[in-house]
Structures are given as structure tokens and as C-alpha cells.
């Protein structure tokens, strides 16, 4: 792995940690809807959860693609698929 790639990974660690901390379900602090959303995100496959949380922090497919080392288009479709999965799981769990 090149030095540039290692630096990139080190640079996203704090960003990812913050996102993971913010999206941990917390019954005492979250309203009911946010708690359900966080539960669904927390139960995603690890790779999907990381992609989704990085996107929520960065809000840019270009930045996400640079970090992940994949095309902007691949990032777009991955996030779209993950968002659809989250939406579907929320609809199924809606009382």
C-alpha cells in the first residue's frame, strides 16, 4: 500500500469514528423515528454501513470515491442501493 493511501486511511479514521458514534442508537437521546433509523443503519452489513456513514459525513460522491478508490458512479449506485435498503427496512418495521 502506498504512502498516499495510508495517509488517506488515517485521515478518514476520525471522520468514520465520529459518524459511527453519532449513528449509535440511543434510547435516552433519540426520538422514536431517529432511534429506528439508527437501528437499521447499525444492522447494515459492515461495508454498507461504512459507505453510508462516510457519505452522510462527506455529502459528496467525488470525495467518497477518492477515499474508497472507486468511481464516482460506483459510489452513487452503492449509496442509492443502501438508501433503498434502509427505506425498505423502515417501511417493513413501521408499526
Amino acid at each position: 500500500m502506498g504512502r498516499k493511501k495510508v495517509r488517506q486511511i488515517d485521515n478518514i479514521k476520525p471522520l468514520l469514528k465520529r459518524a459511527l458514534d453519532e449513528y449509535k442508537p440511543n434510547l435516552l437521546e433519540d426520538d422514536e423515528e431517529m432511534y429506528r433509523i439508527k437501528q437499521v443503519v447499525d444492522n447494515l452489513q459492515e461495508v454498507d454501513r461504512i459507505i453510508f456513514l462516510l457519505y452522510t459525513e462527506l455529502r459528496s460522491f467525488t470525495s467518497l470515491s477518492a477515499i474508497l478508490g472507486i468511481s464516482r458512479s460506483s459510489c452513487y449506485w452503492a449509496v442509492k442501493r443502501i438508501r433503498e435498503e434502509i427505506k425498505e427496512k423502515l417501511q417493513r418495521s413501521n408499526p
Side-chain angles (χ1 to χ4, degrees):
M1 187 180 294
R3 287 183 185 173
K4 184 177 179 182
K5 198 66 161 175
V6 170
R7 265 186 272 130
Q8 239 179 349
I9 291 169
D10 286 340
N11 289 341
I12 66 165
K13 283 180 183 179
L15 180 69
L16 185 56
K17 183 181 177 346
R18 184 175 67 234
L20 286 168
D21 289 345
E22 287 177 13
Y23 268 84
K24 282 286 180 210
N26 185 326
L27 257 176
L28 299 176
E29 294 179 12
D30 300 330
D31 64 30
E32 187 178 334
E33 183 178 12
M34 182 54 73
Y35 183 77
R36 285 181 44 236
I37 292 168
K38 288 180 176 182
Q39 277 186 312
V40 170
V41 170
D42 198 44
N43 289 318
L44 291 171
Q45 291 183 6
E46 185 177 23
V47 171
D48 287 350
R49 185 171 57 251
I50 289 169
I51 290 170
F52 180 76
L53 293 177
L54 284 174
Y55 176 71
T56 62
E57 290 294 314
L58 299 168
R59 293 282 181 199
S60 164
F61 293 115
T62 304
S63 299
L64 184 60
S65 70
I67 288 170
L68 298 177
I70 60 176
S71 73
R72 187 179 179 281
S73 175
S74 294
C75 287
Y76 170 82
W77 289 109
V79 171
K80 181 175 174 46
R81 176 186 55 76
I82 295 164
R83 287 180 64 181
E84 288 173 0
E85 181 180 343
I86 291 169
K87 190 185 296 185
E88 182 181 304
K89 287 180 178 183
L90 286 170
Q91 288 172 345
R92 274 190 279 152
S93 70
N94 195 8

